[in-house]
Amino acid sequence: MMRFSTLSSKNILLGVTGSIAAYKAAELVRELSRQGAAVTVVMTESAGKFVGLTTFNALSGRTVYTNLFNNPAEPAPHINLPRQADAVVIAPATANFIGKMAHGIADDLLSTIVLAAQKPILVCPAMNSAMYEHPAMKGNLEQLRKYGYQVVEPETGPLACGDEGPGRLAEPSTICEAVKTVLEKKDLQGRKILVTAGPTEEPIDPVRFISNRSSGKMGYSLARVARRRGAEVVLISGPTCLSKPWGIEFVPVRTAAEMHKAVMSYFDWATIVIKAAAVADYGPSTVIPQKLKKGTPDLSLKLTRTPDILKELGKRKKRQILVGFAAESKNLAVEARRKLQEKNLDLIVANDITVPGAGFGFDTNQVKIITAAGGVIDSPLLDKEEIAYLILDKVLEVMQKRGGRS
Ligand code: CTP
């Protein structure tokens, strides 16, 4: 578990309504709790037809509320529960419940809470795609957005009824991210951040390639945290096993040449560029069109340098803040300062790949953040998301020192 989380000591009121996706709400309670939140569940009567109260009680470790008159000692739960909450999340939200929310109907505990709540409200629809695409539903969701509620769009895919289309409840990890985004301070609002992540793959023949051990975790953490803090984010990613972060523009690429092209096309748009990708420095000089057959005992492969994307950005930059990465096995600070200068960066994040648990493939990292002005921060070994907070704090500081010119 991270030492720091946006959800630490936050109170989340989770409203569960009567959809087959109610079982996923159980997973959501676990995920929110795992990240440090205290979750109070309020179920509608029809939610109880899908999941038992005991499940939520056991997972949240708290009383589960089902109606306005549960407990005579607690006479006004519709006022007190939202008052104690930092955010109200309705997941899954049925078509009927969304209809009630849009029209101010308060005929049970949860709908009454929604009217009484003066806290951020997130609505996570789940229903059959025909229902979801009905004009009435579109109008209702539009109305909820006008009220200032955050709608966490459902996913498209196979539905419990056998149909296929939009209407699957968003994944618990997505809903969790949306909750964090609502609760996070928005100190990167208005910033346009381009992040690159992951390795690149340089093809040898149709089935083989040269690549490296980058998992993409550092870049994806940066993209998520930047979005959470209010930035508009474009993530250009080489091939990874990670799922696309919520709420950002995602540009998948494979080779260094493709990454180069994608980065250049977004460069003028960006105010901050963070190049966390481990771009292959060399690729096969020619790609063999047919699968290479074994033959001779030795085989040489001629390699050619790929474009140094960051160096080119350093030459082209006008107002952008440029952040580079350096993974080193010796002379960490010296090598990092050299790259900072040679590539005309504002900041470099260096890590010693010989430190156990740091860098490639791990969830954690330990870094040295060096600014062009000479400032140095040495982090302890932290979760990559915490490192992302540190890096973005430093980027903001550099921007503020520039007097907001960026
Ligand atoms: N980078 C890039 N394009 C490349 C290679 C690297 O944009 N073709 C970027 C990386 O995204 C990273 C930084 O440059 O931000 C890494 O610097 P680099 O000097 O390439 O480090 P190494 O690949 O480790 O190279 P060296 O062999 O010099 O240590």
Side-chain angles (χ1 to χ4, degrees), residues 196 256 275-281 306-311 323-328 335 338-339 343:
T196 69
K275 286 229 71 230
V279 187
D281 288 324
T306 58
D308 190 325
I309 308 169
L310 192 54
K311 197 165 183 176
V323 182
F325 275 72
E328 308 292 342
E335 279 301 296
R338 178 179 64 77
K339 288 175 188 178
K343 302 194 187 200

Side-chain angles (χ1 to χ4, degrees), residues 280-300:
D281 288 324
Y282 290 90
S285 309
T286 50
V287 181
I288 302 161
Q290 305 299 331
K291 184 180 167 218
L292 185 62
K293 290 288 191 185
K294 62 181 162 302
T296 51
D298 298 317
L299 179 71
S300 306

Side-chain angles (χ1 to χ4, degrees), residues 57 83 103 112 143 177 272 293 327 359 366 395:
N57 181 228
R83 218 176 249 167
H103 294 90
T112 315
Q143 187 58 49
E177 187 56 37
I272 300 163
K293 290 288 191 185
Q366 179 177 337
V395 167

Side-chain angles (χ1 to χ4, degrees), residues 65 94 150 264 340 348 393:
Y65 293 79
T94 59
Q150 166 91 47
M264 293 308 154
L340 181 98
I348 193 155
D393 286 349

Side-chain angles (χ1 to χ4, degrees), residues 14-16 21-30 51 56 59 91-92 169 172:
L14 174 63
V16 183
Y23 76 92
K24 284 196 190 169
E27 213 180 314
L28 179 59
V29 175
R30 287 198 67 166
V51 192
F56 291 119
L59 291 174
L169 179 69

Side-chain angles (χ1 to χ4, degrees), residues 95 202 321 328 380 403:
E202 310 306 321
I321 296 280
E328 308 292 342

